[in-house]
Amino acid sequence: MYNPTVARLTYRALLGRRRAAILFVLPALLLLIAAAVRAFNGVDDQVASDVLGGFALATMVPLIGVIAGTGAIGPEIDDGSIVYLLAKPVKRPTIIVTKLIVAIAVTMAFSAVPTFVAGYILNGNGQQIAVAYTVAALVASIAYAALFLLLGTVSRHAVVIGLVYALVWETLFGSLVSGARTLSVQQWSLALAERIGGEGMITSDVGLPLAVALLVGVTLLATGYAGQKLRTLTLAGEE
């Protein structure tokens, strides 16, 4: 279910000059914010939690997920170059799983690592806040990569839809409508962070057992459906 050649091509597409520049911007901004907050405010556990929850997990992780998830396959479908890959003797579910692994790896590298570093800058991992939000970023990376890879497979407007979900649904509706938070990857990942962090420092509107079930279920369903959609794509001249 993993093809090194497909993985290499996907890494090359995601880490090309333009996309790599975009991927580096948000982590750099997070570290800059963390350093500024630490310099002007000193060590404050609640402020550290607010910065990591409000920017790292709520904004940076989903946006990087959009870039990595949709970029792993969307451009190939849009420009038609996917037909060359589909013509190779590689099973189509293998293509999806390989691209998902690459998208997850890229999302984790550009979101979880800077989240951990920013947490240490802010308060030295007091109340286990840095570790808690790093774990949340790791699990959120998996679900976001799967969801946005699926979007890249089924729609030519995957980036726009992904941005609407990340910025409008999770950030705007999630802050205004309590029921919307149940259908939020951010809240699911916060449930794990809540269990790890100090008491009262991190809260989630979703219980841990439900959050884990939803994270696993959404990841598996999105991956399976993406594989099914890719399997239905036909090459010119096949019929």
Side-chain angles (χ1 to χ4, degrees), residues 44-207:
D44 188 313
D45 294 339
Q46 188 58 58
V47 170
S49 180
D50 291 343
V51 171
L52 294 180
F55 182 78
L57 194 62
T59 302
M60 183 183 71
V61 179
L63 289 181
I64 291 176
V66 170
I67 295 170
T70 60
I73 195 169
E76 291 177 290
I77 293 178
D78 290 344
D79 63 20
S81 62
I82 190 70
V83 298
Y84 299 105
L85 181 57
L86 298 180
K88 303 297 182 183
V90 181
K91 294 181 179 179
R92 298 185 186 188
T94 298
I95 295 173
I96 287 295
V97 172
T98 301
K99 288 182 173 293
L100 175 62
I101 291 172
V102 173
I104 290 172
V106 170
T107 307
M108 285 182 172
F110 284 90
S111 61
V113 174
T115 296
F116 183 74
V117 175
Y120 260 88
I121 292 173
L122 286 164
N123 75 334
N125 195 38
Q127 300 286 335
Q128 292 291 305
I129 289 174
V131 172
Y133 277 105
T134 299
V135 171
L138 288 170
V139 297
S141 295
I142 299 172
Y144 281 131
L147 279 172
F148 297 136
L149 180 68
L150 170 61
L151 281 177
T153 306
V154 301
S155 174
R156 291 181 177 272
H157 307 289
V159 174
V160 175
I161 298 172
L163 290 174
V164 169
Y165 173 80
L167 299 179
V168 178
W169 178 264
E170 292 212 339
T171 303
L172 181 59
F173 279 90
S175 63
L176 299 176
V177 183
S178 58
R181 298 172 193 152
T182 306
L183 300 177
S184 166
V185 174
Q186 176 189 342
Q187 291 296 321
W188 304 343
S189 59
L190 276 174
L192 279 83
E194 182 180 15
R195 178 62 61 91
I196 298 170
E199 185 175 356
M201 299 305 302
I202 305 170
T203 59
S204 172
D205 291 338
V206 181

